[in-house]
Amino acid sequence: MTEPIEYDVVVVGAGPVGENLADRVRAGGLSAAVVESELVGGECSYWACMPSKALLRPVIARADARRVPGLRQAVQGPLDAAAVLAHRDYYTSHWKDDGQVGWIESIGADLYRGHGRLAGPRRVTVTADDGTVTTLTARHAVAVCTGTRAALPDLPGLADAKPWTSREATSSDHVPGRLVVVGGGVVATEMATAWQALGSQVTVLVRGDGLLNRMEPFAGELVADALREAGADVRTGVSVKAVERQGSTVTVTLGDGSTLEADEILFATGRAPRTEDIGLDTVGHKPGSWLTVDDTLRVEDSDWLYAVGDANHRALLTHQGKYQARVAGAAITARAAGVPLLETDPWGAHAATADHAAVPQVVFTDPEAASAGLTLAEAESAGLRVRAVDYDMANVAGAGLYADGYTGRARMIVDLDREILLGVTFVGPGVGELIHSATIAIAGEVPISRLWHAVPAYPTVSEVWLRLLETYRG
């Protein structure tokens, strides 16, 4: 073991969160080391956001084209699956990270490849593939940016069945003839959408009573309707009892004793923190646990340990983790400079307020489902006096021009005491590009009276904003 190498900040994990955190502290004049055990760029670049959206983009584009008169007849054939998979491979850089390594170098941070583990306060050991151990120490902060992994249930036969997780679902080099998807969340619905369109016969098994249960109920209902229309079999209120693989066939036993067969089975049943082997026990935390942080992303009861991104369980989304990285980077830099009082009030420079109040998300299914802020159920559970305002997006002129037979729905949640928006949900073709306006309105706490003066261009789908406000005013 070599002598310890000292930096101002040591970042464990070089996914988008770790990259952004390193960039922010470097911009603040601090030295930084970044540790990565797999590919620089992390889950999002190679097994999540980028490959999944590369798979889904042709699916959504074809669906949109089929809703346009004069074009629909030209796009009735099947997708070219080989071309779609090749396009996906391009967007993952063929699972090579040279470009992202170059970016780390360009900001002046040092990259250490290997397994990073805490070894006491402000100390990280990095074990390389050849067994070489390097010790890093941090003057100011160590940031855990290790993300999450797929959480698989404890089911008889599952390990031997070689199930897909999100990684296999986004990186498969073939289209399975029959695919069972277990789960009803974002990964389940997006991958069911993609593989059904690419030629698989998809069966979705959901334990609960619907899809996308963290969004407004109508979001899951509209997505389920569309999956069924596309040919998928969506079953709710069912559980998986056992899984067995014999050769190329997977047999799934359901809770009622019935069975079904498939070529592959995807379990999209949640995420677990990748903290089980990073030395948490050496600093008083339980291995494998989520790390609880304050709004500066500093771990409770610590003045040097930060957990940024999925590992803190605040908002398991790449863009939200990058936002946290910007906030944490600013906080670490300020503390290193001896700033006596940080801006930690809501919406302050050192407070990740959006994690609580204005988290945006887009589910890239057909139709798309997009939301920002609170749902009606969340607002009511918080004891707020609110009103839900709904509008049928098919009645917006721009929606009709966008697609024949446009099907969609919008909802905004109004805080009746403050006359501001707490949440907005859109479901329908193309609504993903609408959600940032909602995010701005929520984060900016823009009064309803002022939103009335934000005039949407005609004839765009954005005119739904005017219709929502008119419905609220009556």
Side-chain angles (χ1 to χ4, degrees):
M1 184 179 293
T2 58
E3 288 295 313
I5 305 171
E6 189 175 51
Y7 291 87
D8 290 319
V9 181
V10 177
V11 180
V12 183
V17 176
E19 289 175 324
N20 275 263
L21 179 55
D23 181 49
R24 289 299 82 210
V25 297
R26 286 292 301 130
L30 303 181
S31 62
V34 182
V35 181
E36 178 53 54
S37 61
E38 292 187 292
L39 296 175
V40 175
E43 201 81 10
C44 176
S45 298
Y46 306 104
W47 301 287
C49 317
M50 296 306 291
S52 66
K53 304 320 171 274
L55 291 173
L56 285 158
R57 178 59 194 147
V59 176
I60 304 305
R62 182 181 67 167
D64 283 346
R66 286 178 170 178
R67 299 183 182 105
V68 179
L71 181 57
R72 63 170 59 97
Q73 295 305 318
V75 290
Q76 287 304 311
L79 291 170
D80 183 341
V84 174
L85 296 183
H87 183 63
R88 182 270 321 270
D89 294 351
Y90 169 79
Y91 268 93
T92 60
S93 301
H94 299 272
W95 291 275
K96 296 180 181 178
D97 63 2
D98 298 8
Q100 303 222 39
V101 169
W103 185 86
I104 290 283
E105 293 171 348
S106 76
I107 65 170
D110 292 339
L111 174 66
Y112 291 83
R113 288 193 180 273
H115 191 106
R117 294 181 181 85
L118 291 161
R122 305 174 189 267
R123 193 177 184 92
V124 175
T125 61
V126 185
T127 305
D129 288 344
D130 64 3
T132 302
V133 177
T134 303
T135 300
L136 310 175
T137 59
R139 297 183 190 93
H140 300 293
V142 174
V144 173
C145 306
T146 50
T148 59
R149 56 177 173 79
L152 291 173
D154 184 14
L155 287 176
L158 185 57
D160 293 334
K162 299 178 180 178
W164 278 9
T165 66
S166 52
R167 285 198 169 195
E168 290 77 19
T170 54
S171 64
S172 175
D173 62 2
H174 69 282
V175 178
R178 301 163 298 173
L179 174 65
V180 169
V181 178
V182 183
V186 177
V187 172
T189 53
E190 287 190 347
M191 290 298 93
T193 299
W195 291 108
Q196 178 70 34
L198 287 168
S200 295
Q201 177 54 56
V202 172
T203 301
V204 181
L205 305 177
V206 188
R207 182 186 294 273
D209 57 6
L211 305 178
L212 301 176
N213 64 5
R214 295 192 177 184
M215 302 183 86
E216 298 286 5
F218 62 82
E221 292 165 6
L222 290 172
V223 170
D225 289 346
L227 280 170
R228 291 185 176 111
E229 185 178 345
D233 179 7
V234 180
R235 307 183 192 182
T236 58
V238 298
S239 60
V240 176
K241 187 177 180 180
V243 180
E244 180 183 10
R245 180 183 288 276
Q246 291 187 340
S248 60
T249 300
V250 177
T251 300
V252 185
T253 303
L254 304 181
D256 63 4
S258 64
T259 62
L260 59 96
E261 293 184 343
D263 301 291
E264 302 290 353
I265 182 168
L266 162 63
F267 275 85
T269 50
R271 309 290 297 180
R274 295 185 65 186
T275 59
E276 67 276 10
D277 189 22
I278 61 167
L280 287 183
D281 54 309
T282 70
V283 292
H285 292 276
K286 182 181 177 181
S289 64
W290 303 101
L291 292 168
T292 303
V293 298
D294 62 21
D295 276 358
T296 70
L297 291 310
R298 189 165 63 177
V299 175
E300 289 185 344
D301 302 321
S302 176
D303 63 356
W304 60 273
L305 183 62
Y306 291 72
V308 190
D310 286 5
N312 62 39
H313 206 228
R314 286 165 67 105
L316 276 62
L317 295 160
T318 295
H319 49 270
Q320 212 65 25
K322 291 163 70 173
Y323 160 73
Q324 291 178 14
R326 296 190 292 271
V327 172
I332 291 168
T333 301
R335 285 172 173 144
V339 174
L341 189 63
L342 270 60
E343 299 175 35
T344 56
D345 289 339
W347 309 112
H350 308 117
T353 312
D355 286 352
H356 311 296
V359 174
Q361 180 171 23
V362 179
V363 185
F364 292 86
T365 46
D366 176 37
E368 291 177 348
S371 66
L374 304 180
T375 63
L376 175 60
E378 288 170 339
E380 290 179 337
S381 178
L384 300 170
R385 197 170 69 91
V386 297
R387 176 183 165 192
V389 181
D390 291 339
Y391 195 78
D392 184 345
M393 294 186 65
N395 294 328
V396 177
L401 290 168
Y402 188 95
D404 262 9
Y406 192 105
T407 300
R409 186 172 171 186
R411 169 175 285 181
M412 68 179 188
I413 308 300
V414 180
D415 182 327
L416 295 174
D417 294 320
R418 302 173 64 199
E419 284 276 301
I420 62 171
L421 298 186
L422 298 177
V424 179
T425 299
F426 299 117
V427 182
V431 299
E433 296 301 333
L434 290 178
I435 204 60
H436 192 55
S437 56
T439 307
I440 292 170
I442 296 166
E445 298 182 346
V446 181
I448 293 288
S449 59
R450 180 60 63 88
L451 282 177
W452 188 252
H453 296 281
V455 182
Y458 181 86
T460 65
V461 183
S462 293
E463 200 178 18
V464 68
W465 278 106
L466 174 58
R467 302 306 171 211
L468 285 166
L469 291 169
E470 288 174 335
T471 303
Y472 176 66
R473 284 196 167 188

